[in-house]
Amino acid sequence: MVRAIVGANWGDEGKGKITDMLAKESDIIVRFQGGSNAGHTIINNYGRFALHLLPSGVFYDHTTSVIGNGVALNIPYLVKEIQSLVEQGVPMPKILVSDRAQILMPYHVLFDQYEEERLGGKSFGSTKSGIAPFYSDKYAKIGFQVSELFGEEELKEKVYRVCETKNVLLEHLYHKPLLNPEEVYETLISYRDMVAPYVCDVSRFLNEALKDGKTVLLEGQLGSLKDPDHGIYPMVTSSSTLAAYGAIGAGIPPYEIKDIITVVKAYSSAVGAGAFVSEIFGDEAEELRKRGGDHGEYGATTGRPRRVGWFDAVATRYGCRIQGATEVALTVLDVLGYLDEIPVCVGYEIDGKVTKDFPTTTKLEKAKPVIEKLPGWKCNIRGIRKYEDLPENCRKYVEFVEKEIGTPITMVSNGPGRDEIIYR
Ligand code: GDP
């Protein structure tokens, strides 16, 4: 059985916590897209961790953690992340890296920085982790697959060929130091030695595991609205954030994905640029951000301040639909306990017309939120374990959200901890 855990919004919905929790009942946890450009924050009995590349299942000793072919593999980063876990007392996890994963090169990070510099104020708010140049190269067919590390002669020949195109851009577009192909080659050889112990035919491994009845979790990064096709293009990430891509980025049949747990946050937050209809500003925003407290005012990877806003039913219903959500985990509900009234965005007004359909980016820029207010519950709901024990107005909020998004909310998260969860 395959389950996917994905985000319905802009990321930071709390997928890490839900994955960490559900990993307990799983055999294999797979990252299938993205790279070290976003992170999950996980708090468990070993401490507090920010994972960027490793799946959130690495804390259990019964699980295998897999980096699928769809991931932007930063090899030194992976090795550092494994080391830091072990140093903090986590048992050495079982890790497999797909032989078809492509390698994030040091020059991808440089090109990312150079391009942001060049664009100046018009930049996309990249995390500068090299993700966009990485995926561009992958589709331009000048990327390096892990498998290519093991044939030295062909590798060297390709490095020279790739450096030639890269150096034209470095010299004439960015006016930056050129790449030395010998150095790039040596770097790749050192990467080969670092990654070799983990390399395997992941697709084959997963398909065998499924035949044996194992449970596989696909862990998505970011959320629906950052998907390059269905999100707020061009303010999106460079790989698909959708559950459907899990089949491709892991190498499993699409029909095996039976359950798509879509994580939805009780209010909105986004890191980076892009239209954000229900965004709030000033003191109101500062208060919500502060209350977000441990949920973090800052993105796990970039340390950039999060933009915040009220729950956006239009964006979230769309986000759930595009994911193909079969169930929803509603997170960070505890944070809203301070409000007398809770505004929610139930529609967008675009050119004088109200719509409940999430528009394309050009129209989105013009959308104004239609706000409805729900009564608050004015108390701390952390520690509550049964749905019936939540205050009435809190349950009403959950049920309102559920009706708006049209997907059953099966889990409500009321704190960052592993067991701070209410099953419905
Ligand atoms: P992800 O990228 O979707 O995994 O989200 P992040 O890890 O960036 O953000 C989730 C943050 O919210 C982490 O700091 C979690 O510890 C925290 N968190 C998750 N669920 C809850 C919750 O229900 N309540 C609170 N207060 N914090 C939560």
Side-chain angles (χ1 to χ4, degrees):
M1 210 271 281
V2 182
R3 271 174 149 176
I5 299 179
V6 288
N9 307 114
W10 299 264
D12 299 326
E13 296 94 350
K15 296 174 296 293
K17 172 195 156 158
I18 305 293
T19 312
D20 178 54
M21 225 178 68
L22 294 178
K24 200 174 166 186
E25 310 146 26
S26 309
D27 302 300
I28 300 161
I29 299 95
V30 188
R31 278 284 311 268
F32 60 89
Q33 45 84 228
S36 57
N37 51 325
H40 299 294
T41 313
I42 292 171
I43 300 168
N44 58 29
N45 37 327
Y46 292 109
R48 184 194 168 95
F49 299 87
L51 295 181
H52 302 283
L53 209 47
L54 285 171
S56 304
V58 285
F59 300 102
Y60 296 100
D61 49 19
H62 69 278
T63 58
T64 302
S65 300
V66 174
I67 310 275
N69 55 277
V71 170
L73 177 66
N74 184 328
I75 293 174
Y77 208 108
L78 175 73
V79 170
K80 221 174 61 199
E81 208 162 292
I82 298 170
Q83 271 168 2
S84 84
L85 288 187
V86 173
E87 276 162 20
Q88 287 183 76
V90 179
M92 179 62 193
K94 283 190 241 52
I95 294 168
L96 299 177
V97 173
S98 169
D99 53 4
R100 289 179 182 274
Q102 295 211 2
I103 301 159
L104 191 125
M105 305 291 286
Y107 55 75
H108 289 140
V109 180
L110 293 176
F111 274 91
D112 211 350
Q113 288 163 4
Y114 297 161
E115 183 62 9
E116 286 281 303
E117 268 174 51
R118 191 180 74 85
L119 291 172
K122 292 202 162 76
S123 80
F124 294 97
S126 160
T127 58
K128 302 188 188 75
S129 321
I131 301 298
F134 165 89
Y135 282 107
S136 312
D137 281 3
K138 176 171 174 175
Y139 293 108
K141 297 178 283 274
I142 51 171
F144 290 91
Q145 217 178 52
V146 165
S147 62
E148 291 176 277
L149 294 175
F150 300 89
E152 294 187 3
E153 225 170 274
E154 296 88 339
L155 180 66
K156 192 172 241 181
E157 188 263 325
K158 182 166 170 184
V159 167
Y160 271 83
R161 192 153 38 84
V162 172
C163 284
E164 218 172 274
T165 36
K166 294 289 164 202
N167 281 340
V168 175
L169 288 173
L170 286 170
E171 187 175 349
H172 299 289
L173 182 64
Y174 297 115
H175 314 293
K176 297 284 185 188
L178 303 192
L179 297 174
N180 173 345
E182 280 304 316
E183 250 171 53
V184 174
Y185 174 74
E186 287 308 321
T187 304
L188 282 173
I189 294 299
S190 73
Y191 284 3
R192 179 193 65 193
D193 299 339
M194 287 184 223
V195 80
Y198 310 110
V199 176
C200 113
D201 180 345
V202 157
S203 170
R204 183 174 183 280
F205 170 80
L206 291 175
N207 279 272
E208 290 294 316
L210 287 172
K211 270 194 207 127
D212 294 342
K214 300 273 196 252
T215 308
V216 176
L217 262 193
L218 299 174
E219 180 181 23
Q221 185 199 43
L222 298 168
S224 303
L225 304 170
K226 294 283 187 183
D227 183 73
D229 284 83
H230 296 283
I232 51 171
Y233 188 85
M235 300 303 182
V236 293
T237 193
S238 304
S239 66
S240 175
T241 55
L242 304 181
Y245 190 74
I248 298 161
I252 54 166
Y255 57 76
E256 292 285 358
I257 308 174
K258 304 288 187 223
D259 189 11
I260 300 173
I261 301 173
T262 306
V263 186
V264 166
K265 202 152 95 166
Y267 61 95
S268 300
S269 71
V271 178
F276 180 0
V277 178
S278 68
E279 184 168 14
I280 54 173
F281 305 90
D283 292 347
E284 199 183 25
E286 199 43 52
E287 179 81 27
L288 180 56
R289 208 176 283 126
K290 202 174 77 212
R291 298 277 176 173
D294 193 57
H295 172 66
E297 300 162 42
Y298 306 100
T301 296
T302 55
R304 294 182 295 186
R306 284 197 171 112
R307 299 160 68 193
V308 294
W310 303 124
F311 177 77
D312 183 336
V314 179
T316 310
R317 181 176 40 250
Y318 173 78
C320 287
R321 190 191 89 204
I322 285 299
Q323 289 291 4
T326 54
E327 55 180 307
V328 159
L330 184 68
T331 59
V332 212
L333 189 60
D334 49 301
V335 166
L336 299 180
Y338 73 98
L339 292 157
D340 293 321
E341 279 186 318
I342 309 177
V344 290
C345 170
V346 293
Y348 290 175
E349 192 194 309
I350 302 167
D351 295 331
K353 277 204 201 108
V354 173
T355 177
K356 281 189 168 260
D357 291 324
F358 192 77
T360 54
T361 311
T362 37
K363 287 190 185 151
L364 187 66
E365 312 269 343
K366 296 194 269 180
K368 291 186 191 69
V370 177
I371 298 285
E372 195 171 313
K373 287 183 178 165
L374 273 70
W377 48 90
K378 298 290 285 179
C379 67
N380 183 0
I381 58 162
R382 284 189 69 179
I384 295 178
R385 290 292 165 269
K386 282 203 212 111
Y387 187 66
E388 309 82 76
D389 296 343
L390 287 172
E392 191 186 353
N393 284 346
C394 183
R395 278 181 281 134
K396 280 191 172 150
Y397 187 82
V398 174
E399 287 152 29
F400 181 89
V401 168
E402 184 170 56
K403 201 169 116 259
E404 285 290 321
I405 61 180
T407 311
I409 296 175
T410 55
M411 288 172 253
V412 175
S413 171
N414 58 340
R418 232 180 212 180
D419 44 60
E420 293 185 279
I421 193 87
I422 299 168
Y423 291 97
R424 282 176 85 212

